[in-house]
Structures are given as C-alpha cells and as structure tokens.
Amino acid sequence: MSRTVIYPGSFDPVTIGHYEVIKRASKMFDKLLVGVLVNQSKKPTFTISERMELLREVTADLENVEIVGFEGLLAEYCKENNINAIVKGLRAMSDFEYEFQMAITNRKLNPNLETIFIPADSEAMYLSSSMVREVASMGGDISNFVPNCIHDKIVKRFQK
C-alpha cells in the first residue's frame, strides 16, 4: 500500500526548518505533498504561486515530494484526495499546544486522519517565517535562515 501524507503550511517564505521537516518526512513516506495554504486571515508577502515555486526549487532533489496549493479545510482536502495523515513540525511546547488542538479538530472533521509530529532540528527550533520576514525587511542577513537556492529571491522581495 502506498502511503501519501501532507505537510501543510503557509511557507511565507520557506525556511531551513521547513526544509528539514520536508526532507525527514520524505524519507518516511512513499509520497509527501507539501500543501501551501491560502489563509484568508493573513496577508502574505509572497503569492501562493510564488510560494509554491520557491518550494519546488527547494525540494527539487526530493523525488517523492509534490507541491500543491489549496484553500479551505485541510481535513476536507485530505478526504477528497485520499490522504490519511498530516505531518506537522514542532519547534517548542507552544507549537504543540496549538497543533494538538488542530490535530483533534481535524480528526473530528475526518475520522480517518492522523497527525504525525516531527520535532524541529535544534538548529532551527527558534526559526519562523515571520522572523525571516522581519529580519529581511530590515535589511538583515537571512542566509542562515533560508535555503541557499532561494535566498536571493527572498532578499530581492524586501529591498526598497
């Protein structure tokens, strides 16, 4: 049986922490979908198409990874696409509390859905997309925060 899972997020922009979770999850499952969410409550820096393209560049070396975009409930997307597991990266206990609530909610919406937590690598435990955006917007060096292959594209977006 082939196992397909999804790693959802806004990825605005993708960080080295995201890439680490993607790389590790891709080794554990037959197919990993990286789901770029349209979140109506956020005003993204990069369009969904741009975020998907950045992710395609970052994951080009991972054969079993596919980048998808979607809007709406994750539990419904999983049901419609025959996905029975969600992968979530955890940086700290504060992440766990929120992600645990989401896991239970998703399971209530789709009883066939499991959530698998992958702890962040110690090098990226502190890192978030919002931190990358803040540092980049102030002209700071983000080279230790994002994959090299997309560094210049992110910096260019924040140049004034």
Side-chain angles (χ1 to χ4, degrees), residues 31-72:
K31 185 171 185 179
L32 173 66
L33 300 179
V34 178
V36 182
L37 302 166
V38 174
N39 186 336
Q40 303 297 345
S41 66
K42 292 184 178 180
K43 183 169 177 1
T45 301
F46 294 90
T47 67
I48 191 166
S49 297
E50 290 170 328
R51 289 179 275 154
M52 289 174 69
E53 185 54 37
L54 291 172
L55 279 159
R56 282 188 191 102
E57 288 183 48
V58 168
T59 61
D61 62 327
L62 304 172
E63 292 182 16
N64 65 333
V65 173
E66 181 182 338
I67 310 305
V68 297
F70 72 94
E71 198 169 350

Side-chain angles (χ1 to χ4, degrees), residues 1-155:
M1 177 195 319
S2 177
R3 293 281 186 189
T4 300
V5 298
I6 189 166
Y7 175 38
S10 56
F11 306 104
D12 187 35
V14 60
T15 69
I16 59 168
H18 293 132
Y19 177 66
E20 185 65 28
V21 170
I22 292 168
K23 192 167 58 170
R24 289 164 59 198
S26 73
K27 293 176 185 174
M28 297 181 342
F29 301 98
D30 299 319
K31 185 171 185 179
L32 173 66
L33 300 179
V34 178
V36 182
L37 302 166
V38 174
N39 186 336
Q40 303 297 345
S41 66
K42 292 184 178 180
K43 183 169 177 1
T45 301
F46 294 90
T47 67
I48 191 166
S49 297
E50 290 170 328
R51 289 179 275 154
M52 289 174 69
E53 185 54 37
L54 291 172
L55 279 159
R56 282 188 191 102
E57 288 183 48
V58 168
T59 61
D61 62 327
L62 304 172
E63 292 182 16
N64 65 333
V65 173
E66 181 182 338
I67 310 305
V68 297
F70 72 94
E71 198 169 350
L73 291 173
L74 175 60
E76 285 301 313
Y77 181 86
C78 290
K79 192 181 295 182
E80 292 166 6
N81 291 278
N82 202 27
I83 298 166
N84 61 5
I86 299 168
V87 169
K88 297 297 290 191
L90 295 177
R91 293 171 296 185
M93 285 306 290
S94 57
D95 281 353
F96 178 77
E97 187 174 335
Y98 173 77
E99 295 299 348
F100 186 72
Q101 290 173 340
M102 289 301 299
I104 293 169
T105 302
N106 283 326
R107 190 156 166 81
K108 289 287 186 187
L109 294 170
N110 179 349
N112 297 319
L113 200 52
E114 296 292 344
T115 300
I116 297 141
F117 298 112
I118 297 179
D121 185 84
S122 62
E123 298 296 315
M125 288 187 88
Y126 63 92
L127 193 54
S128 67
S129 292
S130 56
M131 183 179 295
V132 170
R133 290 192 307 270
E134 186 172 343
V135 171
S137 71
M138 295 182 192
D141 179 10
I142 61 167
S143 60
N144 290 320
F145 306 151
V146 299
N148 290 336
C149 62
I150 61 168
H151 174 272
D152 293 347
K153 291 178 180 179
I154 296 169
V155 169

